[in-house]
């Protein structure tokens, strides 16, 4: 099932607005409702006021009515297996479990699978989950 997330993330990357970094990124989330939500990075001249691809996809998920990330794929045009940045890792963990799979992709597809626990050990936790 990760292949469709790879395709969705790659498709989302085409919508990136990255005129400053020239570093397009795409992300795709499968939520608990079974739907796939996508996002791309959207830069702003006033760094760091832009959005990374991962929180853009999370926003689409929330606005679509879902609240739980089941699995997620991330792809960057210029860096194979580009992991989410530190801030994005915490944002993802807000809506994921420790076992949520995060797929790191290159132009050929999913090349590495990590759990949220591997990506962000010792993350902040609350009683909300």
């Amino acid at each position: 099932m990760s292949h469709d997330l790879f395709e969705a993330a790659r498709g989302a990357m085409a919508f990136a607005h990255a005129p400053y970094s020239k570093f397009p990124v795409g992300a795709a989330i499968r939520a608990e409702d079974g739907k796939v939500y996508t996002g791309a990075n959207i830069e702003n001249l006033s760094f760091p006021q832009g959005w990374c691809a991962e929180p853009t996809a999370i926003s689409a998920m929330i606005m679509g009515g879902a609240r739980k990330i089941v699995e997620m794929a991330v792809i960057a045009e210029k860096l194979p297996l580009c992991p989410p940045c530190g801030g994005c890792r915490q944002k993802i963990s807000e809506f994921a479990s420790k076992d949520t799979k995060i797929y790191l992709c290159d132009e050929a597809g999913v090349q590495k699978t990590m759990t949220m626990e591997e990506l962000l050990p010792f993350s902040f936790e609350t009683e909300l989950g």
Side-chain angles (χ1 to χ4, degrees):
M1 283 226 310
S2 61
H3 185 74
D4 68 326
L5 282 182
F6 157 68
E7 292 289 344
R10 185 171 62 179
M13 185 171 60
F15 291 96
H17 177 72
Y20 309 107
S21 72
K22 311 252 189 291
F23 193 82
V25 180
I29 292 169
R30 185 178 333 280
E32 84 275 7
D33 62 4
K35 294 180 183 172
V36 173
Y37 299 92
T38 61
N41 55 324
I42 304 167
E43 294 178 350
N44 184 296
L45 181 58
S46 178
F47 283 120
Q49 297 303 314
W51 301 273
C52 293
E54 298 89 343
T56 304
I58 291 169
S59 296
M61 178 187 77
I62 296 300
M63 294 306 295
R67 294 288 184 271
K68 181 89 170 132
I69 298 171
V70 174
E71 54 186 349
M72 181 176 208
V74 179
I75 185 169
E77 185 176 275
K78 297 181 178 180
L79 180 63
L81 289 80
C82 180
C85 72
C88 286
R89 292 175 193 207
Q90 188 63 50
K91 289 175 180 119
I92 296 165
S93 74
E94 182 77 15
F95 302 98
S97 72
K98 291 177 185 260
D99 297 325
T100 297
K101 288 184 173 37
I102 310 296
Y103 306 115
L104 305 182
C105 307
D106 66 10
E107 69 281 345
V110 174
Q111 299 301 328
K112 184 172 181 73
T113 302
M114 302 182 75
T115 64
M116 195 63 226
E117 174 71 12
E118 291 169 324
L119 196 62
L120 186 63
F122 307 108
S123 65
F124 290 127
E125 296 182 41
T126 70
E127 299 294 321
L128 295 177

